[in-house]
Amino acid sequence: MKPETVITNESPNNLRSSVRFPLHLPVVLKADEKASAETEDISSGGVLIRCGVDYPVGSTIQFSICMPARSVGAEKDVQVECVGRVVRCTPAGDKIAVGAIIDEYHISR
């Protein structure tokens, strides 16, 4: 029996393994100097961040995201510390849209 062929109109770059949520949350990028940024969207496996830094694709970035209490069902806001890998950087107006896969995360409060 032959495997099924699936035909799609989407390009391979638009295929996602998880649902993205259009959340605009504050982000602190931890590089040589801490830079503030904002998420454009977020999923269980990745994030799109609008910032002023053009990271090389493949580089590791560290950042923290403040998740509002109401969005995670907590009494207080939750700080999530993340380590990710940059998969793309594209101009977005006066900012850079940085797409990253989240490799590690932990909740710090």
Side-chain angles (χ1 to χ4, degrees):
M1 189 172 198
K2 288 185 177 180
E4 263 186 65
T5 301
V6 177
I7 299 172
T8 178
N9 290 333
E10 292 196 54
S11 74
N13 294 333
N14 289 333
L15 298 176
R16 306 285 182 221
S17 61
S18 54
V19 177
R20 290 180 172 223
F21 298 96
L23 296 173
H24 298 271
L25 303 172
V27 175
V28 175
L29 297 162
K30 298 175 183 174
D32 294 332
E33 55 185 72
K34 290 185 178 184
S36 295
E38 183 179 75
T39 63
E40 182 80 15
D41 61 49
I42 191 165
S43 72
S44 63
V47 64
L48 183 62
I49 300 170
R50 290 180 74 109
C51 65
V53 182
D54 189 3
Y55 291 97
V57 171
S59 63
T60 299
I61 59 172
Q62 294 182 355
F63 54 97
S64 61
I65 301 174
C66 183
M67 303 289 287
R70 71 183 186 289
S71 69
V72 292
E75 291 180 20
K76 297 181 182 177
D77 290 350
V78 175
Q79 194 74 23
V80 182
E81 304 294 329
C82 304
V83 176
R85 274 178 295 128
V86 175
V87 293
R88 68 182 168 99
C89 282
T90 55
D94 62 341
K95 299 278 185 180
I96 303 291
V98 178
I101 294 171
I102 298 172
D103 291 321
E104 299 174 28
Y105 71 91
H106 73 273
I107 297 169
S108 63
R109 63 173 162 132

